[in-house]
Structure formats: C-alpha cells, structure tokens
Amino acid sequence: MADLKALAEAIINGKRDDAVRLTQQAIDESVAPEKILNKGLTAGMDVVGKRFKNNEFYVPEVLIAARAMNASMELLEPLLVKSGAKPRGVVVIGTARGDLHDIGKNLVGMMLKGGGFKVVDIGIDVAPETFVEKAKSEHADIVAVSALLTTTMPQMGNVVNALKKACVSVKTMIGGAPVTQEYADEIGADGYAADAASAVDKARELISTRRKARLKRGPSADAP
Ligand code: B12
C-alpha cells in the first residue's frame, strides 16, 4: 500500500531512488496527485526547512533533499496539471541586476517548490523590467528578489518601484545575506526572510494576505 509517510522520510533523507519508487507506487495505486504532493513531498520538505532553520541541516542536506523532491516532482507534475490542481501560488524569482550569486536563490526556489508553489526562476543579473514582464506573463502572486552584494541591493528597490509603476498587482519578497527587514521596509517590499525555510513561511503568509485582500475587493479587482 502507498506509504506517504515513508515518501516524506525519503525526501527528508535525500533518498532519491526511494522517493521516486514510493511516488510511482502511490501513483500506480491511484492516490490523488495532490495528496502525494501535500502528504509526501511538501510534508518532507517542511521538515527539511525546519531542520535547516534550527541548524540541524546545512546547505548540502537541503540540496540533496531538494534533488529527491525534484525527481518525484517530475513524475507528479504532469498528473497535477492534468488533474487541474492549483499550486499555492506563482512565484517569479531572480537575482538582482549586476549580481551573479545564485546558490541562495536556487535554495529558496527549491524550498518554495517543495512548499507547493509554482516557481518561475528567471536567473541572475535580472533587470527590473524583466521582473515586471515575467510577473505579468506568468500571472505571478509573488516576485522574489535575491541580492548578495551591498552594491546590488538598491536594484531590489528598483524592482519594487518598477512593479508599482507598471501597476502590477503582486507581492514582493526580498532576501540575501546583506538584506534585513529594515531594508525591506525602507524600499517598500512586502516581505523579507533570512533563509529558505522562512521564505516558504513568508510566501504562505503573503499569499494569504493577498487572497484576503482580493476577497474584500471582489474577484475582478486586481487581475495581474
Ligand atoms: C559563492 C560566492 C560567490 C560565487 C557565486 C557563485 C554562485 N553561483 O552563486 C562567485 C565566485 C561567482 C562570487 C563572486 C563575487 N562575490 Co561572492 N560570495 C560567495 C560567498 C562565498 C557565498 C554566497 C553563498 O552562496 N552563500 C550560501 C547561500 C545558501 O546563502 P545566501 O546566498 O545568503 O542565501 C540564503 C539567505 O540569504 C536567503 N536568501 C537568499 N536569497 C534570497 C531571496 C529571497 C527572496 C529570500 C526571501 C531569501 C533569500 O536564503 C538563502 C538560503 O537560506 C559569499 C560569502 C558568504 N559567506 O556569504 C561571497 C560574497 C557574497 N561575495 C562577495 C563579493 C565581493 C563578490 C565579488 C564582487 C568578488 C569579486 N571581487 O569579483 C563577485 C561579484 C560577482 C557578481 N557580480 O555578483 C562579498 C559581498 C560583499 C558585500 N557585502 O557586498 C561576499 C559577502 C564575500 C566577502 N565576505 O567579501 N561570489
């Protein structure tokens, strides 16, 4: 019988082959793809996130877990699309203009994917206009920007301003080693998180605020 707890454990321990086998087994037994995602992959990645936050896991363990998660996702993704299951939200993520650092961004992207988000990674050295274009074309709920250099941090403010100027209704989230909550407040970003696990919590919080605001204003109030 399909064992989603064992699948979550396989993700936590980064056992890619076991994760793939258990995912396939659940699919073969007609377990709903959404259930496999939530009770297997996301449940596992949530534990990975908590351990990372508590310094029980480091970058390599997270990357290995994310690799197992990605392998399972490859089997699950077409079924999720077919079943019409909606992701928790769409996140467009990139590294600020002039900045080539992407290890942290990639980790955040992987954790968000594990957290049930559709993640559109637009790479490094991304111009504010590209963030705007992609936010529009992907119907993003959140635009996430990473910066590792003090010299590229102001580019995050440029992204926030460019989105406002283009009237794109989207939440913004920033992060990277030199970034702080104070800086996020200063540039008017909606959220900041210090690490990849907290980024998932923050993204969930932003999505829920966004949904509540939408309900208050009515369904057609803020189409992207
Ligand atoms: C690896 C590295 C590089 C690699 C990057 C490879 C790659 N593919 O990313 C290379 C060699 C290319 C590089 C180049 C440079 N680097 Co460099 N680099 C680093 C280093 C050692 C590690 C960064 C890293 O990957 N950390 C691990 C990840 C997991 O952590 P993280 O990025 O902080 O991400 C976490 C959080 O911040 C957060 N997060 C990250 N992004 C986001 C986004 C969102 C939305 C959210 C919510 C959260 C979030 O979650 C992540 C996971 O928990 C740091 C030193 C350090 N200890 O930070 C220097 C460092 C960042 N680099 C530095 C410098 C100066 C440079 C160069 C200018 C060097 C040079 N003279 O050429 C160039 C700049 C190139 C450019 N234009 O970007 C300085 C920056 C100083 C400053 N304050 O501005 C640092 C701090 C080193 C130092 N002490 O001087 N670098």
Side-chain angles (χ1 to χ4, degrees), residues 47-62:
V47 174
V48 172
K50 278 190 196 121
R51 292 194 183 166
F52 183 55
K53 239 188 207 172
N54 296 335
N55 294 322
E56 292 162 33
F57 268 17
Y58 295 97
V59 172
E61 283 104 327
V62 179

Side-chain angles (χ1 to χ4, degrees), residues 133-145:
E133 270 166 38
K134 287 289 176 183
K136 281 187 189 163
S137 63
E138 298 290 340
H139 304 292
D141 295 292
I142 298 176
V143 165
V145 194

Side-chain angles (χ1 to χ4, degrees), residues 96-150:
R97 179 153 64 187
D99 202 319
L100 307 178
H101 295 85
D102 69 354
I103 299 168
K105 166 187 71 68
N106 294 346
L107 266 183
V108 172
M110 286 170 188
M111 291 298 292
L112 285 170
K113 207 170 171 191
F117 288 87
K118 177 184 170 190
V119 177
V120 182
D121 187 338
I122 56 173
I124 52 174
D125 187 16
V126 181
E129 310 81 64
T130 310
F131 276 103
V132 173
E133 270 166 38
K134 287 289 176 183
K136 281 187 189 163
S137 63
E138 298 290 340
H139 304 292
D141 295 292
I142 298 176
V143 165
V145 194
S146 177
L148 265 286
L149 299 171
T150 42

